[in-house]
Amino acid sequence: MHVPDVSVVVIVYNDAERLPTAVQSVLDQTLHGVEVVIVDDCSKDRSFEVAQGLEAAHPGRVRAFRLPQNSGGCGAPRNHGIQQATGTYVMFLDSDDVLERNACRNMLEAAERTGSDLVSGMCVRVHLDNRWGKTTEWYPWIYSRTRTLESITEYPDLLVYDTLSTNKCYRRAFLLEQGLEFPVGIHYEDLLFSAQAYVAASRITLIPNHVYFWNVVEKAAAKSISNRRHEIANFVHRMEIHRRVDELLESKGHDEIKSAKDTKFLKHDLVLHLRDLHLVDDDYRQEFARLANGYLEGIDPAAYDHVNHLQAICAYLLGKEDWENLIPAAESMTNRGRLTSALAERDGRIYWCGEHLDDAEARRILDVTEQGLHTAPLGSLALGNRLTSYEDDGRGTVTMSGAVVNPLGRIAADAPLKAELEFRARRQIGVKSFSFPVETLVHAGDTIEWTVKADVGRTVRPLGIIDAVWDVRLKLTAGGARITTRVAVGGVDLEEAAALRVRPRLTRLVSDRFEPEITKKGNLSYVLTAEGAAAVRTQSLINNAMHGRAAGLVKRSLKKALKTKRNIGSGEQKVKAYHEVFSKLPVKKGLVVFESHMGKQFSDSPKAIYEEMVRQGVPFEAVWSYAGAKPTGFPKEATLVKRWSWQYLRALAQAEFWIDNQGFPLALAKRPGTTYIQTWHGSALKRMGFHEPRTKALGQDGQAKFQKAVDRFDHFLIRSEHDARTLAKGFRLRDEVLLRTGYPRNDALVAAHRAETDSGERVRGPLAADLGIDPEKKVLLYAPTFRAAADGSVEGFEFPFDVEEFAEQLGDRFTLLVRTHYLNSVTLPPSVAGRVIDVSKHHDITPLLALADGLITDYSSVMFDYAVLDRPMLFFAYDYEAYATDIRGTYFDLKEKAPGPVVATADELLQAIAAFEEADAKYADARQRFLAEFGEYDRGDAARQIVEKFFKESGK
């Protein structure tokens, strides 16, 4: 009898409708030697009958089994599937998910090639109820490239983060020999099973391929077991599984993995439950604290040093069962950037709260001085604002009260106060908002208390259908500060709150009520619904439409109208309008659309080209795109359009030229009459484009879309033949597309270097004075590359060295300018003021480069630009091995080519800065070689070349 290569165990419970789709994804695998083992967990619906039907339809390929009684989890049916499987390898699939078509083949090939006991690939979460077709890769950084591990100790992150059992392929003999089974009668069985498999495996292979599609319905009526966080039994099971995993790791002596797992527990597992604390009762909280604190006692203390300040604060306050301070902290953690505490000041330091400060550990954890909350402009803080009462009259009027946090009493008692409550449509179409004046506004020390009576029924007039969700904001003016806050529900019970009557402008047949709702982040919003007479009328309309001569026409017209209203303004509709409407309009001669870093800045080479066109008096119509709420720093003479707005799409469709440094939206095709000049934003150290493992893992369709996007480039600027070998090849660009002009943004640097060489002196210019830099000090610019958290999220930048130590040791000789990547942010402690300056909000880095006497970076492409100035560079590559080998690889070894010292520790960095002049002379030749290799075409005339080539010769 032929032994299948892979047995896929499909478990099912009360899921007869979706089971065939899951099974079909196995039958459609490109690997033919695959069998399906269906295990029904004693379903109450037709699931087992459906399974038997599939077995009958596919004899020899599908087998169906049923457990005699329901086990209440995934463990028992999967264990039964392992016993019934006959394949050399085993995989697991849930009945509501599907396998990627090549999953079995890719995993089998990897296992056979490497002899691994376990092969793991990338899982993709598919958000089924998201209108944009949202998908999320599960910890993609783990699967950036193919790698084989001889032990889990080589890559602890795998055990810590990827605890799924379903994106893996196991050698069946390995499972049986090791006696590996899922725990039964307890939830979160994947965590323990995966940990046991990782630890037992003699070899593990990771592949950068999508293998498993995890279908997620965020608004499902029945939550999955793991999402029922309001049930205390759920947390009991989570804690028990964590204890068992800890015991496993301790028994094997894996202390390093245990410490990393503790960090993840604080950052993820605990946070999931803390977010819901404001929704649960006191009994739940007491039991939750008992269970959590018992476990937290065994956490490695070092784990607290690897989480953000709010995560550490929440864990500490939970240990003290300080609910009054913990619940606001948990709300702040859920709503990133929101300040929900009034703060406390002691001896010049700022703390989250005034309690517990007699304990040294509390002072360390609760200290938020470096977050800069006490110095940030009041209007820039997202102040916490919690409901304290909520009443409605059952018709259309609601009276609500709340309290806005007043941190450190910064809103003075005598400051004039004024406020209004705003109802704002989440999808802003037509009328965007309605406001109500706040009747009572009182200064109450740590808070500003407010009360408003809003006649929503008379005032708020939604369109209906289209603008279905409305958020509530309080807009407060306190003295000269303007503060806008979301209204958090807090502990106010809205269960019995009545829906508010409203009068939609489009039709009252579909909806006529505002239903109060608590958002995922705990904020107040209203959802447009139908009740009573409106619901009856809606049903009547449907019934009438089923009969009569014009029934068919009515139904088709209504369906089309509703679809149009539903989709208007959606990304899909805009892309369609761009191609079918705007692209039919004539191309406008002289219309140039500029964009820098996807609209985030007026900067870089697009800015340099624009300014050169203005300087030369070129007749053209300039359009600049911007992202975010308000454009700042853009030229007043240009037309400004918000990225993805209708005006933006029309401008792109009619433009004669596109000029940007990153990429206009991939879904928008470039018209034949439009010339696309791609300036790009830096030479490459990291592998790019089709050289990246992630791009290679996209599959044929994904790679085709990427290729189509880069094929839009008519011209691509490069500054060296290194760019031709790396960037151009990575994007598969033809040589005739390349413009060997250098970067227009570097023209100013070339000019600065020439002026310095000719005159023999440095001229710092007005920027130094604006920043308050001591003319007697050397200026160093610290410009690191982009940093993301382990889970891929963008968080505040954390210094890899002690800036206070720098200021103390070297602040009398140097001023350090800190310029993070535009996607990161930084907060400096007050103690370093004047000696360390945050310049991250200076969009254009070129003037900062010209100002700096030396550059400190890690892997940022700014190194290639700064080389033009022939000034000293230091490379703080504290994680180089991980960066060069574990993420996506580099085109060359930085340590071999760096035109300055490469240091790995903070102590080495401070020593290298102290020996600044020595490094300047020592690396002079290396800087010249570096510039010759990476900046040979930067001659100072790149912008002029572009303008003369495209905007002068043709007479535009």
Side-chain angles (χ1 to χ4, degrees):
M1 181 179 176
H2 175 69
V3 177
D5 292 313
V6 180
S7 294
V8 179
V9 177
V10 182
I11 64 169
V12 60
Y13 177 70
N14 288 351
D15 199 15
E17 185 176 340
R18 291 179 293 189
L19 177 60
T21 301
V23 171
Q24 194 61 48
S25 76
V26 183
L27 296 174
D28 289 342
Q29 288 291 300
T30 53
L31 179 70
H32 297 300
V34 180
E35 74 163 350
V36 184
V37 178
I38 304 174
V39 183
D40 174 59
D41 197 12
C42 199
S43 296
K44 296 177 181 178
D45 69 352
R46 297 181 57 257
S47 292
F48 187 56
E49 294 176 37
V50 172
Q52 289 177 311
L54 291 167
E55 180 179 43
H58 303 280
R61 295 200 66 193
V62 177
R63 291 183 292 136
F65 302 89
R66 186 182 193 186
L67 298 186
Q69 60 185 25
N70 178 250
S71 68
C74 301
R78 285 179 182 158
N79 290 339
H80 191 76
I82 295 172
Q83 296 301 321
Q84 297 297 333
T86 61
T88 306
Y89 296 89
V90 175
M91 294 174 63
F92 301 106
L93 173 64
D94 293 345
S95 60
D96 52 348
D97 301 328
V98 294
L99 293 182
E100 194 278 333
R101 191 165 180 265
N102 300 296
C104 292
R105 176 172 59 82
N106 289 335
M107 300 183 100
L108 175 69
E109 288 179 353
E112 294 291 279
R113 183 178 70 253
T114 62
S116 294
D117 293 322
L118 187 162
V119 175
S120 189
M122 198 183 300
C123 172
V124 180
R125 285 167 58 94
V126 181
H127 302 264
L128 297 179
D129 53 352
N130 180 274
R131 75 173 74 170
W132 315 111
K134 176 184 174 183
T135 61
T136 308
E137 293 179 336
W138 189 254
Y139 297 115
W141 47 274
I142 291 177
Y143 298 98
S144 61
R145 63 182 177 87
T146 300
R147 71 178 82 192
T148 297
L149 313 173
E150 300 299 326
S151 167
I152 189 61
T153 58
E154 294 180 20
Y155 196 40
D157 281 356
L158 182 59
L159 183 148
V160 172
Y161 289 97
D162 188 359
T163 56
L164 299 178
S165 66
T166 48
N167 60 331
K168 297 171 178 60
C169 180
Y170 313 83
R171 192 182 300 275
R172 183 167 175 265
F174 159 70
L175 297 179
L176 297 177
E177 289 165 5
Q178 296 293 328
L180 293 180
E181 291 186 335
F182 289 88
V184 177
I186 188 169
H187 305 322
Y188 305 103
E189 55 276 294
D190 270 22
L191 274 70
L192 181 56
F193 181 84
S194 295
Q196 292 172 329
Y198 285 142
V199 169
S202 60
R203 185 171 292 167
I204 301 167
T205 294
L206 310 181
I207 60 174
N209 305 84
H210 292 167
V211 299
Y212 193 91
F213 293 115
W214 176 3
N215 292 326
V216 180
V217 180
E218 298 285 354
K219 299 178 181 178
K223 292 289 186 183
S224 67
I225 292 170
S226 59
N227 282 327
R228 298 175 198 160
R229 291 188 287 273
H230 61 285
E231 299 176 7
I232 195 65
N234 182 294
F235 192 63
V236 171
H237 287 210
R238 186 186 287 273
M239 290 295 89
E240 177 58 26
I241 287 292
H242 274 284
R243 286 191 183 90
R244 294 188 193 183
V245 174
D246 290 346
E247 290 173 0
L248 170 69
L249 296 177
E250 289 170 5
S251 70
K252 301 294 184 181
H254 294 325
D255 295 339
E256 182 182 353
I257 300 179
K258 168 67 166 59
S259 181
K261 178 183 166 295
D262 287 345
T263 298
K264 193 226 178 184
F265 178 82
L266 295 176
K267 295 180 70 170
H268 175 72
D269 300 83
L270 186 61
V271 167
L272 288 176
H273 292 267
L274 288 173
R275 287 174 175 169
D276 293 337
L277 279 184
H278 65 285
L279 300 174
V280 298
D281 58 26
D282 288 340
D283 290 341
Y284 180 101
R285 290 174 187 168
Q286 297 302 325
E287 182 64 9
F288 172 75
R290 184 186 70 81
L291 293 165
N293 289 333
Y295 184 78
L296 288 172
E297 289 176 0
I299 289 283
D300 182 356
Y304 287 88
D305 297 329
H306 300 288
V307 301
N308 69 38
H309 69 286
L310 277 172
Q311 291 162 349
I313 287 170
C314 285
Y316 178 84
L317 294 174
L318 176 61
K320 297 297 183 181
E321 296 189 36
D322 181 354
W323 306 109
E324 185 175 348
N325 288 306
L326 170 58
I327 292 174
E331 179 192 331
S332 185
M333 186 167 54
T334 303
N335 296 270
R336 183 175 295 175
R338 182 176 296 180
L339 177 57
T340 56
S341 171
L343 305 179
E345 183 176 0
R346 299 286 190 279
D347 301 323
R349 305 297 293 178
I350 309 300
Y351 299 93
W352 181 258
C353 57
E355 290 75 18
H356 320 295
L357 298 183
D358 54 342
D359 174 34
E361 181 68 3
R363 290 195 300 274
R364 183 179 74 85
I365 293 176
L366 298 175
D367 192 329
V368 294
T369 309
E370 293 185 5
Q371 306 308 313
L373 301 172
H374 58 300
T375 58
L378 198 59
S380 69
L381 296 175
L383 298 181
N385 181 10
R386 306 186 80 205
L387 277 182
T388 53
S389 68
Y390 182 100
E391 297 178 1
D392 59 73
D393 64 0
R395 294 185 297 276
T397 300
V398 60
T399 302
M400 62 180 86
S401 300
V404 179
V405 169
N406 182 13
L408 299 173
R410 291 181 61 185
I411 301 177
D414 58 354
L417 303 175
K418 183 179 179 181
E420 61 181 16
L421 191 71
E422 179 189 59
F423 284 64
R424 189 174 184 83
R426 192 171 295 176
R427 296 183 66 193
Q428 296 179 16
I429 300 167
V431 178
K432 299 177 181 179
S433 64
F434 297 88
S435 297
F436 302 89
V438 172
E439 300 169 353
T440 304
L441 201 56
V442 179
H443 194 294
D446 286 346
T447 60
I448 304 295
E449 297 179 353
W450 56 271
T451 299
V452 63
K453 184 175 183 179
D455 189 350
V456 176
R458 282 176 170 269
T459 307
V460 178
R461 295 295 307 280
L463 286 172
I465 305 174
I466 300 172
D467 47 357
V469 182
W470 290 66
D471 296 315
V472 181
R473 291 174 168 84
L474 185 80
K475 304 179 85 169
L476 170 68
T477 302
R482 294 183 178 181
I483 304 162
T484 299
T485 70
R486 286 295 302 272
V487 178
V489 174
V492 174
D493 187 3
L494 296 182
E495 287 292 326
E496 302 300 323
L500 307 176
R501 294 180 182 178
V502 291
R503 296 177 297 153
R505 286 179 290 152
L506 285 180
T507 174
R508 296 178 66 184
L509 295 175
V510 178
S511 53
D512 66 350
R513 293 289 192 277
F514 257 171
E515 187 81 41
E517 182 177 88
I518 304 175
T519 70
K520 285 182 183 179
K521 295 187 176 181
N523 300 316
L524 177 64
S525 66
Y526 287 86
V527 178
L528 201 56
T529 61
E531 284 185 8
V536 172
R537 286 194 298 271
T538 302
Q539 187 61 50
S540 176
L541 176 68
I542 294 172
N543 290 336
N544 290 337
M546 295 296 293
H547 308 284
R549 290 182 175 180
L553 177 61
V554 169
K555 283 187 284 185
R556 287 192 298 272
S557 299
L558 181 60
K559 183 177 180 181
K560 184 176 181 180
L562 291 178
K563 182 178 181 181
T564 300
K565 291 174 185 176
R566 218 170 24 241
N567 292 338
I568 200 167
S570 70
E572 180 183 355
Q573 200 74 6
K574 284 185 172 180
V575 171
K576 186 176 181 181
Y578 172 85
H579 290 104
E580 296 183 5
V581 180
F582 294 146
S583 291
K584 300 297 189 292
L585 299 173
V587 170
K588 294 178 66 175
K589 292 293 184 182
L591 176 59
V592 186
V593 178
F594 297 88
E595 185 170 285
S596 180
H597 296 300
M598 295 188 289
K600 294 181 175 65
Q601 302 173 355
F602 173 61
S603 66
D604 212 79
S605 291
K607 174 188 176 184
I609 295 172
Y610 167 81
E611 291 179 337
E612 181 67 18
M613 293 172 71
V614 173
R615 186 162 40 248
Q616 292 197 31
V618 173
F620 71 110
E621 180 183 350
V623 172
W624 272 92
S625 88
Y626 70 90
K630 292 183 179 180
T632 56
F634 287 84
K636 296 179 180 179
E637 299 77 14
T639 300
L640 306 185
V641 296
K642 187 170 184 177
R643 205 170 195 263
W644 273 112
S645 66
W646 293 110
Q647 295 90 336
Y648 174 79
L649 296 174
R650 179 165 183 163
L652 282 177
Q654 290 196 270
E656 185 180 8
F657 287 93
W658 291 359
I659 300 177
D660 90 311
N661 67 349
Q662 196 155 339
F664 288 109
L666 304 184
L668 305 181
K670 181 184 70 67
R671 299 175 66 179
T674 301
T675 298
Y676 191 168
I677 303 174
Q678 172 57 255
T679 69
W680 203 240
H681 51 275
S683 298
L685 170 62
K686 300 169 287 188
R687 292 189 177 276
M688 302 292 292
F690 287 98
H691 293 162
E692 288 187 63
R694 287 276 303 277
T695 308
K696 295 177 181 178
L698 288 175
Q700 291 185 349
D701 290 345
Q703 290 189 27
K705 288 180 181 178
F706 185 78
Q707 186 66 62
K708 187 176 181 181
V710 297
D711 282 347
R712 297 178 302 173
F713 303 160
D714 294 299
H715 305 284
F716 187 89
L717 273 57
I718 63 172
R719 53 196 306 265
S720 68
E721 287 307 302
H722 167 76
D723 291 351
R725 294 189 300 271
T726 56
L727 287 171
K729 289 286 191 289
F731 294 140
R732 295 179 180 173
L733 301 177
R734 305 181 313 278
D735 189 70
E736 58 266 27
V737 171
L738 306 183
L739 290 181
R740 291 169 167 81
T741 60
Y743 281 170
R745 72 183 186 194
N746 289 341
D747 290 349
L749 299 181
V750 175
H753 177 59
R754 285 175 180 165
E756 184 177 340
T757 301
D758 293 343
S759 66
E761 62 177 296
R762 286 286 311 283
V763 178
R764 285 184 168 175
L767 180 57
D770 291 344
L771 295 173
I773 294 175
D774 185 339
E776 299 301 317
K777 293 182 182 180
K778 294 286 187 182
V779 178
L780 300 178
L781 175 65
Y782 178 45
T785 192
F786 168 68
R787 297 285 176 178
D791 60 2
S793 63
V794 179
E795 297 184 348
F797 175 77
E798 295 185 8
F799 279 98
F801 62 94
D802 190 334
V803 289
E804 291 181 308
E805 186 177 357
F806 166 87
E808 183 178 343
Q809 291 188 20
L810 301 168
D812 59 337
R813 293 174 54 197
F814 298 95
T815 298
L816 181 66
L817 307 181
V818 178
R819 209 269 192 178
T820 60
H821 189 279
Y822 70 89
L823 290 174
N824 290 133
S825 59
V826 67
T827 301
L828 295 173
S831 59
V832 302
R835 292 171 291 179
V836 184
I837 304 172
D838 179 17
V839 292
S840 300
K841 292 185 179 179
H842 285 251
H843 288 173
D844 193 353
I845 196 174
T846 301
L848 298 171
L849 295 174
L851 171 63
D853 297 295
L855 173 72
I856 304 171
T857 187
D858 42 17
Y859 324 109
S860 172
S861 63
V862 74
M863 69 176 79
F864 302 109
D865 304 299
Y866 195 74
V868 171
L869 292 164
D870 190 24
R871 297 175 191 166
M873 286 188 266
L874 304 177
F875 297 87
F876 186 26
Y878 55 91
D879 57 351
Y880 184 66
E881 296 305 321
Y883 186 89
T885 62
D886 285 357
I887 301 177
R888 70 195 201 201
T890 59
Y891 284 117
F892 62 88
D893 189 341
L894 178 63
K895 293 181 179 180
E896 292 181 1
K897 293 183 179 289
V902 180
V903 297
T905 68
D907 288 342
E908 291 175 351
L909 174 65
L910 295 180
Q911 292 172 16
I913 295 174
F916 181 76
E917 286 80 6
E918 179 183 332
D920 185 2
K922 180 179 179 181
Y923 287 91
D925 291 342
R927 290 200 300 272
Q928 289 300 314
R929 291 194 299 270
F930 192 80
L931 177 61
E933 181 172 358
F934 298 110
E936 59 187 301
Y937 301 132
D938 274 333
R939 306 184 186 95
D941 62 349
R944 181 176 57 79
Q945 286 191 61
I946 298 299
V947 173
E948 291 183 353
K949 179 177 180 64
F950 297 104
F951 301 100
K952 283 287 190 172
E953 293 180 1
S954 57
K956 298 180 185 67

